[in-house]
Amino acid sequence: MTSVGIDAVELWTGNLKLDLAETFAVEKGKDPAYFTEGLGLRASSFPDSYEDIVTMGANAAKRLMDRKGLEPEDIGRIDVATESSFDNSKPLSTYIAGCLEQVYDGDFHHANKGERKFACIAGTQSVDDAYNWIRAGRNRGRKAIVVATDTALYERDDSGEATQGAGAVALLIDEDPDLVELSTEQGYGSADETDFLKPQQQFPSVDGKRSVQVYLARMREALEDYESVAGDVRLADFAYAPYHTPYPGMVRKAAALAYRHVTRDTEVEDELAETIGRQPRRETFDDDSAYQDAVREYMDALKDTDQYKSWYAATVEPTLSISRDVGNWYTASVHVARIAALKDAYDDDRDLAGENLLVASYGSGAQAEIHGETVQDGWREEVAALNVDEQLESRYDLSWSEYEEVHDRHNHEKDTELEEFTAPSGEFVFDGWGRMGERKYTYVE
Ligand code: HMG
């Protein structure tokens, strides 16, 4: 069977950043540790006045094509995943293809283009679409580009304001991939939920506390569903577990629950029982609330054990390193977590080829999806070519009043002009409006 997966990835961050401890916390009179330890975030990325979901997506895709030496005729499919779209009809993939056609000789006229929406999980679903298209043999030897791009902005003073972010990830999906092969097995956890939605509005309506519960419930369902097709998940089988990361604190909760689930009735549970007892079983409790109390007590004790701490430090913590500095990138977030994991192995000079990742995607509304990935021989060269650290370091550090101006500038209800804070160089920029209200773009050398 043909091996299909991610051949290469590229990331593009918004060119601005807001420091949460130094700027947000000070302005709001909040303890900086709430951001850095509670949520697990140091900074958010934001788009400069000339940036948006098209420029960030096109810039990531251009880096990908240049690096892999691709021309438009090599690409048979462009799918864009976003939940920040500004056009209800014309897909972002046409805007992005239009940008790329400005800088390449050929065109994408024979590429299938679309836009996927299901909150943050749409990025992973677009990867699925490309995977299925290749596996079905419809690709005529061509590759697919998936772009996940978002400006994750919340209403000012919303509980989600500290988790904002903006950026894009472009992924090249191909046969015999250099980076990771995707498993055929997938698990889903999906239900009609009303926790985070944008009914014809730019900024989300959020029930933050509920959204956390829904994330955990759907992830658990997806894990059980994955195990029903792939067999029991064993901790030793996965080098990293990249999760959808709205903020690292969310992943901290999800990882502990997953650990409890996969170690139940295993030797790990037996070993842990010597120090913290066995996991509570519902059938041994008279009522649900006593059972929930026992579970909470067990989880608190579990998180303090050496076994759990060392698993978390090796398998989950490294996946959060980029997210801590950029915030939530919605559709791109889990793909940022995968990059962080691979980067960690690269920085540690570790040989990761042949090892597995357990990838957990999520979108509000709500759906979780879990699948496995196997790292391929070419991974080291792919990761070496990324310039994530340089991009993050070169962002302009906003003051609070500048942040307010940037938020207004990207608010669709406001018509605000704003001088750019950074000088674009070697990138696509927003260049004003066309005669039918379309956004226009140009490439700046
Ligand atoms: P909150 O209400 O401020 O949360 O915001 P909190 O009071 O629960 O505090 C968060 C953590 O900080 C807690 O730790 C506190 O103890 C700790 P935890 O219990 O989690 O371990 N804390 C402190 N730590 C150190 N020093 C201190 C301190 N004070 C408190 N001084 C909330 C959290 C999620 C509600 C908010 O950020 C929010 O509304 N976010 C937007 C929604 C969201 O991100 N939900 C996540 C799940 S849904 C999802 O992932 C989908 C999404 O990406 C959208 C999509 O799919 O399209 C959002």
Side-chain angles (χ1 to χ4, degrees), residues 126-184:
S126 297
V127 171
D128 285 351
D129 292 341
Y131 173 94
N132 293 336
W133 172 74
I134 295 172
R135 285 291 291 267
R138 290 179 150 180
N139 58 322
R140 296 185 240 152
R142 297 175 300 167
K143 307 158 200 313
I145 288 180
V146 169
V147 176
T149 180
D150 272 299
T151 44
L153 294 183
Y154 289 77
E155 200 86 63
R156 298 289 316 285
D157 295 323
D158 187 282
S159 63
E161 193 178 10
T163 68
Q164 296 178 118
V169 170
L171 306 103
L172 188 67
I173 313 300
D174 199 5
E175 292 171 40
D176 298 323
D178 281 339
L179 200 58
V180 292
E181 180 185 349
L182 303 178
S183 68
T184 326

Short mmCIF file of all heavy atoms in Angstrom, two decimals, residues 126-184:
data_model
loop_
_atom_site.label_atom_id
_atom_site.label_comp_id
_atom_site.label_asym_id
_atom_site.label_seq_id
_atom_site.Cartn_x
_atom_site.Cartn_y
_atom_site.Cartn_z
N SER A 126 -8.52 18.87 6.51
CA SER A 126 -8.00 19.17 5.17
C SER A 126 -6.84 18.24 4.82
O SER A 126 -6.68 17.84 3.67
CB SER A 126 -7.51 20.62 5.08
OG SER A 126 -8.59 21.48 5.28
N VAL A 127 -6.03 17.92 5.83
CA VAL A 127 -4.96 16.94 5.60
C VAL A 127 -5.59 15.59 5.21
O VAL A 127 -5.14 14.91 4.29
CB VAL A 127 -4.06 16.80 6.86
CG1 VAL A 127 -3.08 15.63 6.71
CG2 VAL A 127 -3.30 18.10 7.12
N ASP A 128 -6.70 15.23 5.90
CA ASP A 128 -7.41 13.99 5.55
C ASP A 128 -7.88 14.01 4.11
O ASP A 128 -7.78 13.02 3.39
CB ASP A 128 -8.68 13.84 6.42
CG ASP A 128 -8.36 13.44 7.83
OD1 ASP A 128 -7.21 13.10 8.12
OD2 ASP A 128 -9.30 13.46 8.65
N ASP A 129 -8.45 15.15 3.70
CA ASP A 129 -8.98 15.25 2.33
C ASP A 129 -7.86 15.01 1.31
O ASP A 129 -8.04 14.31 0.32
CB ASP A 129 -9.59 16.64 2.08
CG ASP A 129 -10.86 16.86 2.88
OD1 ASP A 129 -11.46 15.85 3.33
OD2 ASP A 129 -11.26 18.02 3.06
N ALA A 130 -6.70 15.62 1.58
CA ALA A 130 -5.57 15.48 0.66
C ALA A 130 -5.07 14.03 0.67
O ALA A 130 -4.78 13.45 -0.38
CB ALA A 130 -4.45 16.43 1.08
N TYR A 131 -5.01 13.47 1.86
CA TYR A 131 -4.58 12.06 2.01
C TYR A 131 -5.50 11.15 1.20
O TYR A 131 -5.05 10.30 0.43
CB TYR A 131 -4.63 11.71 3.50
CG TYR A 131 -4.38 10.27 3.87
CD1 TYR A 131 -3.11 9.84 4.22
CD2 TYR A 131 -5.44 9.35 3.92
CE1 TYR A 131 -2.89 8.52 4.59
CE2 TYR A 131 -5.22 8.03 4.28
CZ TYR A 131 -3.95 7.63 4.62
OH TYR A 131 -3.72 6.32 4.99
N ASN A 132 -6.82 11.35 1.37
CA ASN A 132 -7.80 10.49 0.69
C ASN A 132 -7.71 10.65 -0.83
O ASN A 132 -7.85 9.69 -1.58
CB ASN A 132 -9.21 10.82 1.17
CG ASN A 132 -9.39 10.45 2.63
OD1 ASN A 132 -8.69 9.59 3.14
ND2 ASN A 132 -10.32 11.11 3.30
N TRP A 133 -7.49 11.88 -1.28
CA TRP A 133 -7.38 12.18 -2.72
C TRP A 133 -6.18 11.44 -3.32
O TRP A 133 -6.27 10.84 -4.39
CB TRP A 133 -7.24 13.70 -2.84
CG TRP A 133 -6.93 14.28 -4.17
CD1 TRP A 133 -7.77 14.42 -5.23
CD2 TRP A 133 -5.69 14.88 -4.57
NE1 TRP A 133 -7.14 15.06 -6.26
CE2 TRP A 133 -5.86 15.36 -5.88
CE3 TRP A 133 -4.46 15.08 -3.94
CZ2 TRP A 133 -4.83 16.01 -6.58
CZ3 TRP A 133 -3.45 15.72 -4.62
CH2 TRP A 133 -3.64 16.18 -5.94
N ILE A 134 -5.08 11.41 -2.57
CA ILE A 134 -3.90 10.71 -3.06
C ILE A 134 -4.11 9.20 -3.01
O ILE A 134 -3.86 8.48 -3.98
CB ILE A 134 -2.63 11.13 -2.27
CG1 ILE A 134 -2.33 12.61 -2.53
CG2 ILE A 134 -1.43 10.26 -2.66
CD1 ILE A 134 -1.23 13.20 -1.67
N ARG A 135 -4.65 8.73 -1.89
CA ARG A 135 -4.87 7.28 -1.74
C ARG A 135 -5.87 6.76 -2.77
O ARG A 135 -5.81 5.61 -3.18
CB ARG A 135 -5.34 6.96 -0.33
CG ARG A 135 -4.26 7.02 0.73
CD ARG A 135 -3.23 5.90 0.60
NE ARG A 135 -3.81 4.62 0.93
CZ ARG A 135 -3.77 4.08 2.14
NH1 ARG A 135 -3.16 4.69 3.12
NH2 ARG A 135 -4.33 2.92 2.37
N ALA A 136 -6.81 7.61 -3.17
CA ALA A 136 -7.81 7.20 -4.17
C ALA A 136 -7.21 7.18 -5.57
O ALA A 136 -7.87 6.77 -6.52
CB ALA A 136 -9.01 8.14 -4.12
N GLY A 137 -5.98 7.67 -5.71
CA GLY A 137 -5.32 7.66 -7.02
C GLY A 137 -5.80 8.75 -7.95
O GLY A 137 -5.68 8.66 -9.17
N ARG A 138 -6.37 9.81 -7.38
CA ARG A 138 -6.88 10.89 -8.22
C ARG A 138 -5.87 12.02 -8.43
O ARG A 138 -6.20 13.04 -9.02
CB ARG A 138 -8.13 11.49 -7.57
CG ARG A 138 -9.30 10.55 -7.59
CD ARG A 138 -10.49 11.16 -6.91
NE ARG A 138 -11.72 10.64 -7.52
CZ ARG A 138 -12.94 10.99 -7.14
NH1 ARG A 138 -13.09 11.86 -6.16
NH2 ARG A 138 -13.99 10.50 -7.74
N ASN A 139 -4.67 11.88 -7.90
CA ASN A 139 -3.73 13.00 -7.86
C ASN A 139 -2.85 13.13 -9.10
O ASN A 139 -2.16 14.12 -9.26
CB ASN A 139 -2.84 12.92 -6.61
CG ASN A 139 -2.06 11.63 -6.54
OD1 ASN A 139 -2.56 10.57 -6.90
ND2 ASN A 139 -0.84 11.72 -6.08
N ARG A 140 -2.88 12.11 -9.97
CA ARG A 140 -2.07 12.13 -11.20
C ARG A 140 -0.60 12.44 -10.88
O ARG A 140 0.05 13.25 -11.55
CB ARG A 140 -2.59 13.18 -12.18
CG ARG A 140 -3.99 12.90 -12.69
CD ARG A 140 -4.35 13.94 -13.74
NE ARG A 140 -5.50 14.71 -13.38
CZ ARG A 140 -5.71 15.96 -13.79
NH1 ARG A 140 -4.84 16.58 -14.54
NH2 ARG A 140 -6.80 16.59 -13.42
N GLY A 141 -0.12 11.87 -9.81
CA GLY A 141 1.29 12.05 -9.45
C GLY A 141 1.58 13.40 -8.81
O GLY A 141 2.73 13.69 -8.46
N ARG A 142 0.54 14.20 -8.64
CA ARG A 142 0.78 15.54 -8.09
C ARG A 142 0.60 15.54 -6.56
O ARG A 142 0.07 14.63 -5.97
CB ARG A 142 -0.18 16.55 -8.74
CG ARG A 142 0.08 16.67 -10.25
CD ARG A 142 -0.95 17.57 -10.92
NE ARG A 142 -2.30 17.07 -10.77
CZ ARG A 142 -3.39 17.77 -11.03
NH1 ARG A 142 -3.30 19.01 -11.47
NH2 ARG A 142 -4.59 17.24 -10.86
N LYS A 143 1.06 16.64 -5.96
CA LYS A 143 1.03 16.77 -4.50
C LYS A 143 -0.10 17.73 -4.09
O LYS A 143 -0.59 18.49 -4.93
CB LYS A 143 2.35 17.34 -4.00
CG LYS A 143 3.58 16.58 -4.50
CD LYS A 143 4.82 17.46 -4.45
CE LYS A 143 5.94 16.95 -5.35
NZ LYS A 143 6.26 15.55 -5.27
N ALA A 144 -0.42 17.73 -2.81
CA ALA A 144 -1.44 18.67 -2.31
C ALA A 144 -0.81 19.62 -1.31
O ALA A 144 0.07 19.22 -0.53
CB ALA A 144 -2.57 17.90 -1.64
N ILE A 145 -1.26 20.88 -1.35
CA ILE A 145 -0.87 21.82 -0.30
C ILE A 145 -2.07 22.07 0.59
O ILE A 145 -3.18 22.34 0.10
CB ILE A 145 -0.38 23.16 -0.91
CG1 ILE A 145 0.99 22.97 -1.56
CG2 ILE A 145 -0.30 24.25 0.17
CD1 ILE A 145 1.56 24.24 -2.18
N VAL A 146 -1.86 21.94 1.89
CA VAL A 146 -2.88 22.31 2.87
C VAL A 146 -2.37 23.51 3.63
O VAL A 146 -1.22 23.52 4.10
CB VAL A 146 -3.15 21.14 3.86
CG1 VAL A 146 -3.99 21.61 5.03
CG2 VAL A 146 -3.81 19.98 3.14
N VAL A 147 -3.21 24.54 3.72
CA VAL A 147 -2.83 25.72 4.50
C VAL A 147 -3.84 25.88 5.63
O VAL A 147 -5.05 25.91 5.39
CB VAL A 147 -2.84 27.00 3.63
CG1 VAL A 147 -2.54 28.23 4.48
CG2 VAL A 147 -1.82 26.89 2.50
N ALA A 148 -3.35 25.95 6.86
CA ALA A 148 -4.21 26.23 8.02
C ALA A 148 -3.84 27.63 8.49
O ALA A 148 -2.68 27.87 8.85
CB ALA A 148 -3.95 25.20 9.11
N THR A 149 -4.78 28.56 8.43
CA THR A 149 -4.44 29.96 8.72
C THR A 149 -5.56 30.64 9.50
O THR A 149 -6.73 30.49 9.16
CB THR A 149 -4.13 30.72 7.40
OG1 THR A 149 -3.79 32.07 7.71
CG2 THR A 149 -5.28 30.70 6.41
N ASP A 150 -5.19 31.35 10.54
CA ASP A 150 -6.21 32.02 11.36
C ASP A 150 -5.67 33.24 12.09
O ASP A 150 -4.49 33.29 12.43
CB ASP A 150 -6.75 31.05 12.44
CG ASP A 150 -7.92 30.23 11.92
OD1 ASP A 150 -8.95 30.84 11.57
OD2 ASP A 150 -7.80 29.00 11.85
N THR A 151 -6.56 34.19 12.28
CA THR A 151 -6.31 35.24 13.27
C THR A 151 -7.30 34.95 14.40
O THR A 151 -8.49 35.18 14.26
CB THR A 151 -6.57 36.66 12.72
OG1 THR A 151 -7.79 36.64 11.99
CG2 THR A 151 -5.47 37.12 11.81
N ALA A 152 -6.78 34.40 15.47
CA ALA A 152 -7.62 33.99 16.59
C ALA A 152 -7.81 35.19 17.52
O ALA A 152 -7.10 35.33 18.51
CB ALA A 152 -6.98 32.82 17.32
N LEU A 153 -8.75 36.04 17.16
CA LEU A 153 -9.02 37.22 17.98
C LEU A 153 -10.31 37.02 18.75
O LEU A 153 -11.26 36.43 18.24
CB LEU A 153 -9.15 38.46 17.10
CG LEU A 153 -7.88 38.91 16.36
CD1 LEU A 153 -8.15 40.19 15.58
CD2 LEU A 153 -6.73 39.12 17.33
N TYR A 154 -10.34 37.54 19.97
CA TYR A 154 -11.54 37.52 20.80
C TYR A 154 -12.00 38.95 21.02
O TYR A 154 -11.23 39.90 20.83
CB TYR A 154 -11.25 36.86 22.16
CG TYR A 154 -11.03 35.36 22.06
CD1 TYR A 154 -9.83 34.84 21.59
CD2 TYR A 154 -12.03 34.48 22.43
CE1 TYR A 154 -9.63 33.47 21.49
CE2 TYR A 154 -11.83 33.10 22.34
CZ TYR A 154 -10.63 32.61 21.87
OH TYR A 154 -10.44 31.24 21.77
N GLU A 155 -13.25 39.10 21.41
CA GLU A 155 -13.76 40.41 21.83
C GLU A 155 -12.85 40.91 22.95
O GLU A 155 -12.40 40.11 23.77
CB GLU A 155 -15.17 40.19 22.37
CG GLU A 155 -16.04 41.40 22.42
CD GLU A 155 -16.76 41.64 21.10
OE1 GLU A 155 -17.57 40.80 20.70
OE2 GLU A 155 -16.47 42.70 20.52
N ARG A 156 -12.59 42.22 22.96
CA ARG A 156 -11.76 42.77 24.04
C ARG A 156 -12.43 42.44 25.38
O ARG A 156 -13.66 42.54 25.51
CB ARG A 156 -11.62 44.29 23.85
CG ARG A 156 -10.93 44.69 22.54
CD ARG A 156 -9.44 44.37 22.56
NE ARG A 156 -8.85 44.76 23.83
CZ ARG A 156 -8.59 46.03 24.16
NH1 ARG A 156 -8.78 47.00 23.29
NH2 ARG A 156 -8.10 46.31 25.33
N ASP A 157 -11.63 42.07 26.37
CA ASP A 157 -12.08 41.70 27.72
C ASP A 157 -12.79 40.35 27.80
O ASP A 157 -13.29 39.97 28.87
CB ASP A 157 -12.97 42.79 28.35
CG ASP A 157 -12.18 44.07 28.57
OD1 ASP A 157 -10.99 43.98 28.92
OD2 ASP A 157 -12.76 45.16 28.35
N ASP A 158 -12.87 39.64 26.71
CA ASP A 158 -13.40 38.27 26.75
C ASP A 158 -12.42 37.40 27.54
O ASP A 158 -11.22 37.68 27.58
CB ASP A 158 -13.54 37.74 25.32
CG ASP A 158 -14.24 36.39 25.24
OD1 ASP A 158 -13.60 35.36 25.53
OD2 ASP A 158 -15.43 36.39 24.90
N SER A 159 -12.93 36.30 28.14
CA SER A 159 -12.03 35.41 28.91
C SER A 159 -10.95 34.81 28.01
O SER A 159 -9.89 34.40 28.48
CB SER A 159 -12.84 34.30 29.57
OG SER A 159 -13.46 33.49 28.59
N GLY A 160 -11.21 34.77 26.71
CA GLY A 160 -10.22 34.17 25.80
C GLY A 160 -9.17 35.15 25.33
O GLY A 160 -8.25 34.77 24.58
N GLU A 161 -9.26 36.44 25.74
CA GLU A 161 -8.36 37.46 25.17
C GLU A 161 -6.88 37.10 25.35
O GLU A 161 -6.05 37.38 24.48
CB GLU A 161 -8.66 38.84 25.78
CG GLU A 161 -7.98 39.98 25.02
CD GLU A 161 -8.30 41.37 25.60
OE1 GLU A 161 -8.90 41.45 26.70
OE2 GLU A 161 -7.92 42.36 24.95
N ALA A 162 -6.56 36.47 26.49
CA ALA A 162 -5.14 36.14 26.73
C ALA A 162 -4.66 34.98 25.88
O ALA A 162 -3.46 34.70 25.82
CB ALA A 162 -4.96 35.79 28.21
N THR A 163 -5.58 34.28 25.22
CA THR A 163 -5.17 33.09 24.44
C THR A 163 -5.12 33.39 22.94
O THR A 163 -5.02 32.47 22.14
CB THR A 163 -6.13 31.91 24.67
OG1 THR A 163 -7.41 32.23 24.09
CG2 THR A 163 -6.33 31.60 26.14
N GLN A 164 -5.19 34.66 22.56
CA GLN A 164 -5.24 35.01 21.15
C GLN A 164 -3.94 34.63 20.42
O GLN A 164 -2.92 34.34 21.05
CB GLN A 164 -5.46 36.52 21.00
CG GLN A 164 -6.79 36.99 21.55
CD GLN A 164 -6.99 38.48 21.44
OE1 GLN A 164 -7.89 38.93 20.78
NE2 GLN A 164 -6.15 39.25 22.10
N GLY A 165 -3.98 34.69 19.09
CA GLY A 165 -2.79 34.39 18.30
C GLY A 165 -3.09 34.56 16.83
O GLY A 165 -4.24 34.72 16.44
N ALA A 166 -2.05 34.54 16.00
CA ALA A 166 -2.26 34.67 14.55
C ALA A 166 -1.08 34.07 13.82
O ALA A 166 0.08 34.41 14.11
CB ALA A 166 -2.42 36.13 14.15
N GLY A 167 -1.37 33.19 12.88
CA GLY A 167 -0.30 32.58 12.10
C GLY A 167 -0.85 31.50 11.20
O GLY A 167 -2.06 31.22 11.20
N ALA A 168 0.03 30.92 10.41
CA ALA A 168 -0.37 29.90 9.44
C ALA A 168 0.66 28.78 9.40
O ALA A 168 1.85 29.02 9.65
CB ALA A 168 -0.51 30.51 8.05
N VAL A 169 0.19 27.59 9.07
CA VAL A 169 1.08 26.46 8.78
C VAL A 169 0.70 25.94 7.40
O VAL A 169 -0.48 25.81 7.09
CB VAL A 169 0.94 25.35 9.83
CG1 VAL A 169 1.68 24.09 9.39
CG2 VAL A 169 1.51 25.81 11.18
N ALA A 170 1.70 25.70 6.55
CA ALA A 170 1.45 25.07 5.25
C ALA A 170 2.06 23.68 5.28
O ALA A 170 3.17 23.48 5.80
CB ALA A 170 2.09 25.89 4.13
N LEU A 171 1.32 22.71 4.76
CA LEU A 171 1.77 21.31 4.77
C LEU A 171 1.71 20.76 3.36
O LEU A 171 0.73 21.00 2.64
CB LEU A 171 0.86 20.46 5.68
CG LEU A 171 0.67 20.94 7.12
CD1 LEU A 171 -0.69 21.61 7.28
CD2 LEU A 171 0.76 19.78 8.09
N LEU A 172 2.74 20.05 2.99
CA LEU A 172 2.79 19.40 1.68
C LEU A 172 2.44 17.93 1.89
O LEU A 172 3.11 17.23 2.64
CB LEU A 172 4.18 19.54 1.08
CG LEU A 172 4.32 19.08 -0.37
CD1 LEU A 172 3.54 20.02 -1.30
CD2 LEU A 172 5.79 19.06 -0.79
N ILE A 173 1.36 17.48 1.24
CA ILE A 173 0.92 16.09 1.41
C ILE A 173 1.30 15.33 0.14
O ILE A 173 0.99 15.78 -0.97
CB ILE A 173 -0.61 16.02 1.65
CG1 ILE A 173 -1.06 17.05 2.71
CG2 ILE A 173 -1.03 14.60 2.04
CD1 ILE A 173 -0.43 16.89 4.07
N ASP A 174 1.94 14.19 0.33
CA ASP A 174 2.49 13.50 -0.84
C ASP A 174 2.67 12.00 -0.54
O ASP A 174 2.62 11.58 0.62
CB ASP A 174 3.86 14.13 -1.17
CG ASP A 174 4.32 13.82 -2.59
OD1 ASP A 174 3.55 13.20 -3.35
OD2 ASP A 174 5.45 14.21 -2.93
N GLU A 175 2.93 11.27 -1.62
CA GLU A 175 3.31 9.86 -1.46
C GLU A 175 4.76 9.78 -0.99
O GLU A 175 5.53 10.71 -1.24
CB GLU A 175 3.20 9.13 -2.81
CG GLU A 175 1.76 9.00 -3.28
CD GLU A 175 1.66 8.48 -4.70
OE1 GLU A 175 2.45 7.59 -5.05
OE2 GLU A 175 0.80 8.98 -5.44
N ASP A 176 5.12 8.71 -0.34
CA ASP A 176 6.48 8.51 0.18
C ASP A 176 7.01 9.78 0.85
O ASP A 176 8.02 10.36 0.42
CB ASP A 176 7.45 8.09 -0.94
CG ASP A 176 7.03 6.77 -1.55
OD1 ASP A 176 6.55 5.90 -0.79
OD2 ASP A 176 7.14 6.61 -2.78
N PRO A 177 6.33 10.25 1.88
CA PRO A 177 6.67 11.55 2.49
C PRO A 177 8.02 11.54 3.21
O PRO A 177 8.46 10.49 3.68
CB PRO A 177 5.54 11.77 3.49
CG PRO A 177 5.09 10.40 3.84
CD PRO A 177 5.24 9.58 2.60
N ASP A 178 8.63 12.71 3.29
CA ASP A 178 9.91 12.84 4.00
C ASP A 178 9.73 13.03 5.51
O ASP A 178 10.66 12.81 6.27
CB ASP A 178 10.68 14.05 3.46
CG ASP A 178 11.37 13.73 2.15
OD1 ASP A 178 11.58 12.53 1.87
OD2 ASP A 178 11.67 14.67 1.39
N LEU A 179 8.56 13.51 5.93
CA LEU A 179 8.42 13.90 7.34
C LEU A 179 7.69 12.85 8.17
O LEU A 179 8.29 12.21 9.03
CB LEU A 179 7.69 15.25 7.41
CG LEU A 179 7.83 16.06 8.68
CD1 LEU A 179 9.30 16.35 8.98
CD2 LEU A 179 7.05 17.36 8.56
N VAL A 180 6.40 12.67 7.94
CA VAL A 180 5.64 11.65 8.69
C VAL A 180 4.65 10.95 7.77
O VAL A 180 4.05 11.57 6.89
CB VAL A 180 4.85 12.23 9.89
CG1 VAL A 180 5.76 12.73 10.99
CG2 VAL A 180 3.85 13.30 9.46
N GLU A 181 4.49 9.64 8.01
CA GLU A 181 3.43 8.89 7.33
C GLU A 181 2.21 8.89 8.25
O GLU A 181 2.35 8.76 9.46
CB GLU A 181 3.91 7.45 7.07
CG GLU A 181 2.86 6.61 6.37
CD GLU A 181 3.28 5.15 6.22
OE1 GLU A 181 4.45 4.82 6.45
OE2 GLU A 181 2.38 4.35 5.87
N LEU A 182 1.01 9.04 7.67
CA LEU A 182 -0.20 9.08 8.49
C LEU A 182 -0.79 7.68 8.62
O LEU A 182 -0.80 6.92 7.64
CB LEU A 182 -1.25 9.99 7.84
CG LEU A 182 -0.82 11.43 7.57
CD1 LEU A 182 -1.94 12.19 6.89
CD2 LEU A 182 -0.44 12.14 8.86
N SER A 183 -1.32 7.36 9.79
CA SER A 183 -1.95 6.05 9.97
C SER A 183 -3.30 6.03 9.26
O SER A 183 -3.96 7.06 9.13
CB SER A 183 -2.18 5.76 11.46
OG SER A 183 -3.17 6.63 12.00
N THR A 184 -3.69 4.86 8.81
CA THR A 184 -5.04 4.73 8.24
C THR A 184 -6.06 4.83 9.37
O THR A 184 -7.16 5.34 9.18
CB THR A 184 -5.20 3.34 7.58
OG1 THR A 184 -3.96 2.96 7.04
CG2 THR A 184 -6.26 3.33 6.53
#
